[in-house]
Amino acid sequence: MVKEHDRRSIRLKGHDYAQPGAYFVTLCTHNRECLFGEVVKGEMRLNDLGQIVREEWFRSAEIRREMKLNPAEFVVMPNHIHGIVWIHDMVGATSLVGATGRSPLPCGAPLRCGSSLAPKGPAPRSLASFMAGFKSVVAKRINHLRATPGIPVW
């Protein structure tokens, strides 16, 4: 029996991915489906879904001010993206949004550290937090446009 996700992580064990630095990311579509456009004569032509990906990538930097994203360091391909995410040291900053990519707790739910009600997911202002939020909003927008709620994009 073949495992569907039998791959080795290339993440650096023990590294804190909220630390300042440049991080190269590649994100593939579900089943490597070509969703975002096509390459014509060596040039990538984004369709509406590819435009959503591009818009949300750069909108992320507006929401997460600890992240810097450069258009020259990002590309959308038919079935994947490549980008460099710069996490800057925001020590002492008081205006961080701190979005985590997590869903909010149900109304009235108490927050108890160590309890099953405590939020789970990526650390705030980390690479994982950025990617979770980006993937979520892109999938929601694409699925809304295609009228396919809940269908995996990534």
Side-chain angles (χ1 to χ4, degrees):
M1 183 173 181
V2 177
K3 293 180 187 176
E4 183 179 338
H5 299 286
D6 191 17
R7 61 187 173 129
R8 185 180 59 84
S9 174
I10 60 171
R11 292 182 185 155
L12 183 60
K13 191 173 185 107
H15 180 71
D16 178 1
Y17 283 90
Q19 290 296 312
Y23 298 93
F24 179 79
V25 297
T26 297
L27 186 58
C28 296
T29 59
H30 184 70
N31 293 328
R32 297 194 183 262
E33 183 179 358
C34 293
L35 296 177
F36 305 140
E38 60 183 346
V39 178
V40 178
K41 296 183 180 178
E43 181 180 320
M44 180 61 193
R45 298 213 179 141
L46 299 178
N47 60 21
D48 290 344
L49 306 183
Q51 289 293 342
I52 288 172
V53 171
R54 183 167 178 74
E55 287 169 17
E56 291 301 335
W57 181 265
F58 292 108
R59 184 170 293 145
S60 297
E62 296 168 14
I63 296 168
R64 300 166 185 276
R65 293 195 279 172
E66 73 279 7
M67 306 285 179
K68 299 293 182 203
L69 305 171
N70 182 333
E73 300 169 340
F74 177 70
V75 64
V76 179
M77 297 304 293
N79 65 357
H80 66 282
I81 65 169
H82 295 292
I84 297 177
V85 178
W86 291 86
I87 299 178
H88 291 270
D89 190 359
M90 298 292 282
V91 173
T94 58
S95 60
L96 291 176
V97 172
T100 66
R102 298 182 219 160
S103 298
L105 289 172
C107 288
L111 175 61
R112 293 189 298 261
C113 291
S115 79
S116 61
L117 294 177
K120 294 182 171 84
R125 293 178 292 281
S126 67
L127 182 63
S129 156
F130 165 75
M131 294 307 296
F134 170 75
K135 288 167 59 175
S136 176
V137 72
V138 168
K140 286 177 184 175
R141 283 190 63 193
I142 286 175
N143 283 329
H144 177 76
L145 185 66
R146 297 189 303 180
T148 56
I151 299 297
V153 171
W154 306 107

